[in-house]
Amino acid sequence: MPNPADQPAQPQRPGPWPVLSATRFSVLDRSRTREGRPDSEALRDTVALAREAERLGFHRFWVSEHHGVPGVAGSAPTVLAAAVAAATRTIRVGTGGVMLPNHQPLVVAEQFGVLESLFPGRIDMGLGRSVGFTDGVRRALGRDKEVAEDFAAQLDELLGWFDGTSPTGVHARPAEGLTVPPFVLAMGEGAAIAARAGLPMVIGDLRSRERMLRGIDAYRAGFRPSAWASEPYVVISGTVAVAGTPEEARRLLIPEAWSMAYSRTHGTFPPLPPAEVVESRPMTAKERGFYESGLTGQLAGTADEVAHELETVVKETGAQEVLVTTSTYDRDALLDSCRRLAGLFRAA
């Protein structure tokens, strides 16, 4: 089967940021809900962002899977991916990711088989090993934390449905015989699993450089060529915020930083509030610590500042692709950030 990493990258061209010219840029949108706004709007915003990402020249657009989370509307990624693919024409569309321990591999294969049949040559299958965010969600899904330990076997079973090698004698329709490039979201042992399976790997976040580099080194060292990928392919993921001034870029980070701090101290992940609301809210010392941590180390600033940071991190990691995962309350500011970022790699 063809290797997604074998597809030719953009040729390196002269310009102020030579590394960026040889790097793909993609978007993962988590359909974050906003205070005072309906969940349906978050899903429509995702589709609108995908259209803009395509217009701007981003390589992929991925959606995520979360269950029972007030701050995320995207609970059915393959359904949302279908809506995104139907609303676009050329950009690759996929999941970042489908959490395989939550599902039967046969059903996942069938869903991606349908997507690939409807939108041939455009579908990616990003796969993760996380289970529900809380004990209640895990009980509702009929899963527990231990099921994630079987991720490697679940992954092997899933790929077998596409290869037609299932020992059950059952055939996945219409998945069997189709090529849907799989990617492993590397959390914890994910890097080693991706390497043993010979699959492309997505790893983050950009703030934890040393940990990320260790994961990438382990992945490359343990990589075994497969029918899916002949050589390692690394996608680094994280928040990238670009604005006219450093202060404006920092404001983009404020809603998500507060929501993360709230989830760490209250056990639930809330909708995004406006930045000005966050700045007026009192916080405990513990909340303030998590909040400030969420604002630290992100790739945020003016176009030149972010380009310099991106050149550095791509050189350090040798990554072939950057997956941007930025979320914020102000959708206009988010779109402006995407346009400024696209201006960097397009100009390069």
Side-chain angles (χ1 to χ4, degrees), residues 4-11 24 59:
D6 285 340
Q7 299 172 16
Q10 299 174 20
R24 292 171 172 148
H59 184 60

Side-chain angles (χ1 to χ4, degrees), residues 77-79 81-83 85 95 110-120 123:
T78 53
V79 176
T95 56
E110 290 172 335
Q111 291 172 345
F112 279 98
V114 169
L115 284 170
E116 176 62 21
S117 298
L118 291 172
F119 309 101
I123 302 300

Side-chain angles (χ1 to χ4, degrees), residues 8-306:
Q10 299 174 20
Q12 190 153 334
R13 301 179 295 273
W17 311 111
V19 173
L20 300 190
S21 69
T23 305
R24 292 171 172 148
F25 282 82
S26 300
V27 175
L28 166 65
D29 190 68
R30 289 179 291 149
S31 303
R32 292 288 274 115
T33 58
R34 295 184 287 170
E35 284 188 359
R37 309 259 187 168
D39 289 358
S40 58
E41 183 177 75
L43 298 173
R44 289 192 294 271
D45 285 343
T46 292
V47 175
L49 180 59
R51 290 196 191 100
E52 183 66 3
E54 178 177 72
R55 188 187 71 80
L56 292 170
F58 284 90
H59 184 60
R60 309 179 203 277
F61 190 92
W62 283 5
V63 296
S64 64
E65 174 182 340
H66 296 271
H67 299 283
V69 179
V72 182
S75 57
T78 53
V79 176
L80 185 53
V84 168
T88 54
R89 296 186 304 107
T90 58
I91 194 168
R92 297 195 64 86
V93 177
T95 56
V98 164
M99 296 302 146
L100 197 49
N102 292 338
H103 310 280
Q104 291 296 330
L106 170 61
V107 175
V108 175
E110 290 172 335
Q111 291 172 345
F112 279 98
V114 169
L115 284 170
E116 176 62 21
S117 298
L118 291 172
F119 309 101
R122 292 179 56 205
I123 302 300
D124 299 323
M125 186 167 57
L127 305 162
R129 64 192 294 266
S130 298
V131 288
F133 186 63
T134 65
D135 288 339
V137 170
R138 288 190 289 273
R139 285 194 299 271
L141 290 170
R143 297 292 190 267
D144 55 38
K145 290 182 178 180
E146 287 68 33
V147 73
E149 301 304 315
D150 295 328
F151 178 68
Q154 296 158 358
L155 181 62
D156 186 61
E157 180 183 345
L158 172 61
L159 299 182
W161 290 116
F162 288 92
D163 293 339
T165 57
S166 171
T168 64
V170 176
H171 297 274
R173 308 292 187 195
E176 188 173 309
L178 297 180
T179 300
V180 183
F183 294 73
V184 173
L185 276 60
M187 301 294 291
E189 296 180 6
I193 292 171
R196 288 195 298 269
L199 299 179
M201 177 186 72
V202 183
I203 188 167
D205 68 34
L206 295 175
R207 293 180 301 164
S208 305
R209 298 287 176 83
E210 290 187 7
R211 181 181 178 187
M212 186 169 64
L213 286 169
R214 288 196 301 270
I216 292 171
D217 288 344
Y219 167 68
R220 290 197 175 112
F223 185 85
R224 301 174 183 173
S226 71
W228 296 95
S230 60
E231 59 187 24
Y233 188 85
V234 175
V235 183
I236 55 175
S237 68
T239 294
V240 181
V242 193
T245 67
E247 294 74 24
E248 290 171 338
R250 185 180 183 277
R251 283 185 68 79
L252 279 165
L253 306 177
I254 286 174
E256 184 75 9
W258 180 85
S259 292
M260 289 296 294
Y262 189 92
S263 72
R264 296 288 297 274
T265 53
H266 293 77
T268 186
F269 202 63
L272 294 172
E276 59 271 19
V277 171
V278 173
E279 292 171 327
S280 67
R281 281 179 175 167
M283 298 186 199
T284 65
K286 188 175 183 180
E287 287 171 336
R288 176 68 62 179
F290 285 128
Y291 171 69
E292 294 294 344
S293 176
L295 295 173
T296 303
Q298 306 280 15
L299 267 65
T302 64
D304 282 350
E305 290 169 340
V306 169

